[in-house]
Every structure is written in structure tokens, then in C-alpha cells.
């Protein structure tokens, strides 16, 4: 069945450094890949997404890259700040429009001042 | 513009009881998806409602059922509660046919004792 593997499970970086989180998906028909940020006790917040017809998308300090051949996608955060500390989830779906999201296991990112 | 809302915030139930959780989607959205998030894990898809019908279903038993009303709000019902049903229940709002993004509500924390 569909599966999304995410790593690392925990990541600690110094403030100002970059952080990279990677995900691999199993369903080759997947065509939509969002990333969510979840702070403790709060809802998952959509921070960036990419569709399969695009290889890279950037929004200020955040970027996502997609390699369809290898079936993996990555989240890149540059110039990290303490408020970037949270759990990040990748997800994948297939089909047109909003469909079932299959989530990775999450990465706990800690930014050290 | 109201975001996604859920009620109640917290709920404590006893094994064997039944529970109903509620979700109101973001203004302009017509689709509600329900997810279960166990502690320390990524959300798992339960089902999706669109045009008052269940459109997709994840790997959850029939004890989990739902409903969508003409105003697009939705309910999640769980019968014969088990200890393992303790989790954060999230609903996600979207506009199914034209957009891919899904926005989460704050969730309902269900504890089964």
C-alpha cells in the first residue's frame, strides 16, 4: 500500500544554519506533496507544497524539492530561527484536488540559540 | 474569514461508550477529511466527506462513521470505544475539485479510560 518514509526523526541545528528533512514515497501515482509544521499542542499548519509537474518551489526561507524518478522530496529551511522549532510532517496524495493524505512519521526540529 | 473549527476541545470517555466529534470547514470549502493522530505519530486518514457522501476511506473499522451536513460541516462518530482510540482527532477542510490544499482544525483530544 501507500507509504511515506521520513527522516531524520529528530534534527538539532544551530540558529542560522540550514535544516534539511527528506521523505520517500512508495506510490508512483502520487502527485501532490505538502509539508506541515506542528507546534506542541497546536494544529498542523501547511507551510509549503509542491505538485508533481514542478521540481522545486521556494517561499522565503523555505524550499521544497521533488525528484519523481527517485520518488523522494525534501524540505529545506535556511537561516533557521528559534521559532522554526517544531515537528514537521511530509505527506503525499494522488488524484485531482484534495485527496487522502498519507503522512510521514514526523521530524522533531530543534533550533539551538 | 473563519478558519476550521472543531468541538469539543477535549473529551474523556469510558471503554464501550460512543462519541461524536464536530467540525466546521473554512468558509468557501466544501470537503471535510478526518484524521487520527496518535501521540508522537503522523496523522492517519480516516475518511473524507464531499457532497454529503463518504468519498474515500482509510483503514479504520466500521466503528468509525461520519456524516456531512448541507452546510458542509461534519461529524465523526466512534462506537464501542477502545483504549487504543485515545488520540487527537483532526479534521481538514478543502475545496475538493479545484484545490489541493487541506487546512487543519485545532483537533479534539479524546481520552478513553
Amino acid at each position: 500500500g501507500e507509504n511515506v518514509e521520513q527522516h531524520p526523526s529528530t534534527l538539532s541545528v544551530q540558529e542560522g544554519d540550514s535544516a534539511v528533512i527528506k521523505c520517500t514515497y512508495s506510490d508512483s501515482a502520487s502527485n501532490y506533496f505538502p509539508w506541515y509544521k506542528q507546534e506542541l499542542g497546536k494544529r498542523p499548519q501547511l507551510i509549503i507544497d509542491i505538485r508533481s509537474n514542478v521540481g522545486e518551489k521556494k517561499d522565503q526561507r523555505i524550499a521544497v524539492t521533488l525528484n519523481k524518478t527517485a520518488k523522494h522530496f525534501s524540505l529545506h529551511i535556511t537561516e533557521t530561527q528559534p521559532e522554526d522549532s517544531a515537528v514537521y510532517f511530509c505527506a503525499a496524495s494522488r488524484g485531482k484536488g484534495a485527496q487522502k493524505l498519507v503522512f510521514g512519521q514526523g521530524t522533531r526540529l530543534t533550533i539551538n540559540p | 474569514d473563519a478558519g476550521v473549527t472543531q468541538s469539543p476541545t477535549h473529551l474523556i470517555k469510558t471503554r464501550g461508550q460512543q462519541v461524536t466529534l464536530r467540525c466546521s470547514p473554512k468558509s468557501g470549502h466544501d470537503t471535510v477529511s478526518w484524521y487520527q493522530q496518535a501521540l508522537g505519530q503522523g496523522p492517519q486518514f480516516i475518511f473524507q466527506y464531499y457532497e454529503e457522501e463518504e468519498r474515500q476511506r482509510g483503514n479504520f473499522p466500521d466503528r468509525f462513521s461520519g456524516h456531512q451536513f448541507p452546510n458542509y460541516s461534519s461529524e465523526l462518530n466512534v462506537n464501542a470505544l477502545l483504549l487504543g482510540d485515545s488520540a487527537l482527532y483532526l479534521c481538514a477542510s478543502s475545496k475538493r475539485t479545484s484545490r489541493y490544499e487541506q487546512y487543519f482544525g485545532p483537533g479534539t483530544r479524546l481520552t478513553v479510560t
Side-chain angles (χ1 to χ4, degrees):
Chain A
E2 312 120 324
N3 188 46
V4 175
E5 295 288 335
Q6 181 173 349
H7 59 95
S9 56
T10 61
L11 180 61
S12 183
V13 301
Q14 288 299 119
E15 183 179 353
D17 288 349
S18 295
V20 180
I21 303 170
K22 299 182 179 181
C23 288
T24 304
Y25 59 97
S26 61
D27 183 357
S28 56
S30 297
N31 59 351
Y32 175 67
F33 307 91
W35 285 87
Y36 287 86
K37 174 184 180 182
Q38 188 173 29
E39 297 177 70
L40 190 62
K42 300 209 173 164
R43 73 186 77 192
Q45 177 190 357
L46 178 65
I47 56 172
I48 196 168
D49 57 5
I50 192 168
R51 289 175 57 181
S52 59
N53 58 349
V54 176
E56 183 174 0
K57 183 177 179 181
K58 190 173 181 180
D59 182 4
Q60 299 182 345
R61 297 185 298 109
I62 293 174
V64 57
T65 58
L66 171 65
N67 183 328
K68 285 189 293 182
T69 303
K71 292 193 286 186
H72 67 70
F73 57 112
S74 300
L75 177 71
H76 304 254
I77 306 174
T78 59
E79 300 172 15
T80 54
Q81 301 169 2
E83 53 265 37
D84 295 329
S85 294
V87 179
Y88 290 80
F89 291 98
C90 62
S93 71
R94 62 183 296 179
K96 183 180 177 183
Q99 304 286 340
K100 162 188 171 181
L101 290 171
V102 178
F103 282 84
Q105 301 92 328
T107 296
R108 181 172 298 280
L109 175 63
T110 302
I111 309 301
N112 301 307
Chain B
D1 179 21
V4 185
T5 60
Q6 290 187 244
S7 63
T9 305
H10 296 89
L11 206 50
I12 300 174
K13 290 286 188 178
T14 304
R15 273 180 301 176
Q17 286 189 317
Q18 178 264 344
V19 68
T20 297
L21 311 181
R22 295 176 177 83
C23 173
S24 290
K26 186 177 162 72
S27 177
H29 285 184
D30 56 12
T31 302
V32 173
S33 302
W34 286 93
Y35 293 82
Q36 180 195 67
Q37 186 177 26
L39 203 59
Q41 297 184 23
Q44 295 227 338
F45 177 79
I46 303 174
F47 43 54
Q48 183 184 81
Y49 276 85
Y50 171 66
E51 292 185 333
E52 301 181 48
E53 289 190 16
E54 183 183 294
R55 299 293 177 168
Q56 291 182 297
R57 189 177 182 93
N59 190 26
F60 279 80
D62 292 346
R63 299 187 296 110
F64 290 76
S65 63
H67 188 79
Q68 185 179 35
F69 299 93
N71 67 353
Y72 308 119
S73 66
S74 176
E75 288 182 349
L76 164 65
N77 301 293
V78 187
N79 295 323
L81 285 166
L82 303 174
L83 295 179
D85 294 332
S86 295
L88 180 67
Y89 288 85
L90 296 160
C91 75
S93 159
S94 54
K95 192 160 178 64
R96 190 172 194 266
T97 55
S98 60
R99 305 290 298 181
Y100 287 76
E101 303 90 344
Q102 297 187 37
Y103 297 95
F104 283 91
T108 294
R109 172 73 61 188
L110 173 65
T111 302
V112 182
T113 61

